[in-house]
Amino acid sequence: MKRRACEEVGIESVHRDVDPAAGADALRATVRELNDDPAVDGILVQLPVPEGVDRSVAVRTVDPEKDVDGFHPENVGRLVAGDPRFRPCTPHGIQRLLAAADVDTEGADITVVGRSQIVGRPLANLLLARAEDGNATVTVCHSRTRDLAEKTRRADVLVVAAGRPEFVDREMVGEGAVVIDVGVNRVDADTERGYELVGDVDFEAVEGHAGVLTPVPGGVGPMTVAMLLYNATLAASRRSGVDVELS
Ligand code: GUN
């Protein structure tokens, strides 16, 4: 999906497979090669990394200026400090969805379910980063949260990124709430492929009760890809000194 999207907009992409058996040095060497290549503007280490590969080794080796995911510790630090170099793709895509749907987040209660390094944590930080993005009160919940339903029900905006198929039911959602479903779960199904993709939210149960509900597939997923293209363009613009107008 990412490679096709690059092709569609005219961004050249290269794909490198690293044999997990080759160890951390091989992974570091591949990333460094891309760091040193002046023709490469952006690098993304596809997560999750295979078993036996250290995710943090890969992420820390990426040149922070080419880190279009925004996962390098330096860039995480800048995000937490309220000055992101790159806005992480999925959280940025969620912000764009909220803006496009004219959701007023000023003073809103936003509850995020899931504390992953890809979605939950960077989203919470992004929502807190700039006052002009709305002065929301952000609550981060997770698998060990006590009385989760009580916390999700009072949210004006509920973002679910827990990786648990269809576990958010009607009882967990306040009437009229904006619900952003980030989950993409494969469940066995009587289809040609033998499975179907479902979100973390029980769509049928929550549709009509929520004010806004994003579908899976087709909701947040394409926004993640779009924001990756955005960050790649931003990286290229900064590196080349050629100004590109990005909204
Ligand atoms: N796997 C799932 N989402 C993402 C993402 O945003 N970036 C990377 N690198 N891997 C992912």
Side-chain angles (χ1 to χ4, degrees), residues 41-42 231-242 244:
D41 291 303
N231 280 349
T233 308
L234 186 60
S237 163
R238 286 174 181 158
R239 285 170 38 73
S240 64
V242 176
V244 177

Side-chain angles (χ1 to χ4, degrees), residues 2 41-49 55 58-60 62-76 79 84-92 117-119 122-123 126 224-225 227-232 234-235 238:
K2 291 170 183 144
D41 291 303
I43 302 170
L44 173 144
V45 178
Q46 184 63 37
L47 303 172
V49 291
R55 170 193 194 275
V59 169
R60 275 188 219 145
V62 174
D63 177 345
E65 294 193 358
K66 295 186 177 185
D67 173 32
V68 287
D69 258 329
F71 295 162
H72 186 284
E74 182 181 313
N75 289 330
V76 174
L79 171 62
R85 178 185 264 133
F86 294 106
R87 281 178 275 182
C89 303
T90 301
H92 187 191
Q117 288 170 327
I118 296 177
V119 185
L123 176 60
L126 206 47
T224 298
V225 178
M227 294 306 108
L228 174 63
L229 303 179
Y230 179 101
N231 280 349
L234 186 60
R238 286 174 181 158

